Amino acid sequence: MQVNSSGNKISKSESDSLHTSSNNEWKYEDEFYKIYYLQHHKIALTNTRPSKADTAIKLCIPAAFTQLDDGSIDGLFIVNGKAIDSKKVNHHLGGGFLIEADKIQMLGTNDGKILTNTWQDSVCKLNVSFFQQIQMVRNGEALVFNKDQKLFQRRAIVIYADGNVAMIETKSPITLSEFANDLVRMKVWNAMYTDMGSYDEGWVRDPGNEKIIVIGNNRMETARQSNWLIFKN
């Protein structure tokens, strides 16, 4: 996303940016980023692989990390009030993604310290869904990732300052810090990372012809993906 010093998108006349869908509310793309606008979609978390034959699903991406050693979900993972494994709180991930009645909330977990048994019991009673991840932006400020200078294609679910929700994906490999800083320039208020690297394969449904478009540049470990975030009509 090309932005000027105030954080506003540069217009088509000033850049190569263009809308690539007949439905401009769905997708925005330029040479750096793709943005899928999701505020009118229902959201769900699942540990069962979604079917591409389900035409209600418009976007599907991996959510929490997958453990490399045993293929299990990394961190606390709750689906509709049921904890998949309450003993697997990750105390190295600072973000939490909470879904309640199609509303999302991104929260700091203090490296998992707030995810006590009491907290888990209280949210499970509300039939919520939840997963742990890296929070990129919190309350309009980019978080710092000095130790991670690896270059990967990046992806995040974001909430803008006006409350709108989107999925933003880089086209080229960048660092976590570069991604977080760019998100702030785009007026993102909160942003949660989603699994990438070799687990990056997801898919979107073209709103014009309903065809499936596979996303993610690596796609080497698609068969081992353990969980997914889906957006439906």
Side-chain angles (χ1 to χ4, degrees):
M1 177 64 59
Q2 293 174 297
V3 294
N4 59 26
S5 59
S6 65
N8 296 317
K9 296 175 188 174
I10 299 174
S11 69
K12 286 185 184 180
S13 61
E14 297 170 301
S15 75
D16 295 330
S17 299
L18 49 87
H19 290 277
T20 59
S21 169
S22 58
N23 180 356
N24 289 348
E25 293 184 354
W26 167 241
K27 182 181 177 184
Y28 179 91
E29 181 174 356
D30 71 8
E31 63 179 302
F32 301 108
Y33 287 94
K34 293 180 182 178
I35 303 176
Y36 296 87
Y37 296 102
L38 302 167
Q39 58 266 30
H40 301 303
H41 293 73
K42 297 177 181 179
I43 182 172
L45 184 67
T46 180
N47 62 332
T48 302
R49 185 178 295 275
S51 172
K52 293 179 180 179
D54 184 349
T55 57
I57 299 177
K58 303 305 177 184
L59 184 146
C60 174
I61 56 172
F65 293 127
T66 295
Q67 295 276 12
L68 298 179
D69 55 351
D70 61 6
S72 64
I73 299 169
D74 186 1
L76 178 63
F77 194 86
I78 300 171
V79 178
N80 297 329
K82 181 181 179 181
I84 302 304
D85 189 342
S86 60
K87 296 180 180 180
K88 291 188 65 175
V89 173
N90 186 317
H91 291 285
H92 300 283
L93 291 175
F97 192 104
L98 192 69
I99 306 168
E100 182 179 4
D102 294 323
K103 302 293 183 181
I104 67 175
Q105 179 183 353
M106 299 178 186
L107 55 128
T109 68
N110 192 19
D111 290 335
K113 293 183 178 66
I114 75 165
L115 306 180
T116 62
N117 289 336
T118 300
W119 184 92
Q120 293 179 42
D121 289 342
S122 66
V123 298
C124 284
K125 289 177 181 177
L126 299 174
N127 293 321
V128 304
S129 295
F130 175 87
F131 66 92
Q132 289 185 261
Q133 254 298 353
I134 299 170
Q135 189 162 9
M136 308 288 300
V137 178
R138 184 174 297 151
N139 299 332
E141 295 187 2
L143 301 187
V144 179
F145 305 97
N146 290 330
K147 294 182 180 180
D148 193 340
Q149 296 301 313
K150 297 177 182 177
L151 299 177
F152 285 110
Q153 184 188 25
R154 306 290 182 175
R155 185 186 292 151
I157 301 296
V158 309
I159 304 174
Y160 289 98
D162 63 6
N164 284 330
V165 177
M167 187 272 278
I168 300 182
E169 179 182 80
T170 71
K171 290 190 173 183
S172 302
I174 62 173
T175 66
L176 282 172
S177 292
E178 288 174 318
F179 189 33
N181 290 330
D182 279 353
L183 293 176
V184 170
R185 295 187 184 100
M186 295 180 212
K187 308 297 186 184
V188 166
W189 187 247
N190 281 295
M192 197 71 64
Y193 196 63
T194 57
D195 200 4
M196 291 295 285
S198 58
Y199 289 80
D200 64 355
E201 182 169 330
W203 48 271
V204 299
R205 193 176 302 277
D206 189 299
N209 57 25
E210 295 296 309
K211 290 184 178 180
I212 295 294
I213 301 169
V214 177
I215 59 176
N217 292 341
N218 189 308
R219 309 178 190 172
M220 294 296 293
E221 297 288 355
T222 301
R224 299 186 66 214
Q225 289 173 344
S226 62
N227 66 99
W228 299 263
L229 197 60
I230 59 176
F231 292 83
K232 295 185 172 186
N233 273 354

